Amino acid sequence: MMGKLMDPDQWRKARFAGTPPAMSTIRKWCREGVLPAKKIGGAWFIDLDAEKLMTGNELADSVLKEMETS
């Protein structure tokens, strides 16, 4: 199930004070699963609802993600 989606450029500007990470870094995070993102028609979108559920603990987040897809 997909939550609210946000364009990565808007997301990085909303989440970082000062100079945000480069868009290439954000796309890398999307590809690698660091951010809960979906690729739609060649463009990435950040799933804001899934981001809210992230704990910051890599192991806990991977377990929660597995439970979500089961």
Side-chain angles (χ1 to χ4, degrees):
M1 180 178 202
M2 224 182 301
K4 295 176 188 164
L5 302 178
M6 181 182 274
D7 172 86
D9 190 44
Q10 293 173 330
W11 179 87
R12 75 186 184 120
K13 289 175 183 173
R15 295 298 185 272
F16 292 90
T19 305
M23 279 305 297
S24 59
T25 301
I26 303 299
R27 285 189 293 272
K28 179 182 176 200
W29 291 347
C30 292
R31 271 192 319 274
E32 293 178 353
V34 174
L35 291 174
K38 313 254 186 240
K39 196 167 192 180
I40 302 172
W44 286 103
F45 293 90
I46 311 298
D47 185 332
L48 299 178
D49 292 337
E51 180 190 20
K52 286 180 191 174
L53 300 176
M54 293 176 72
T55 66
N57 179 302
E58 191 175 323
L59 177 60
D61 288 343
S62 67
V63 170
L64 290 171
K65 188 175 181 179
E66 284 297 318
M67 290 175 59
E68 189 178 286
T69 58
S70 302

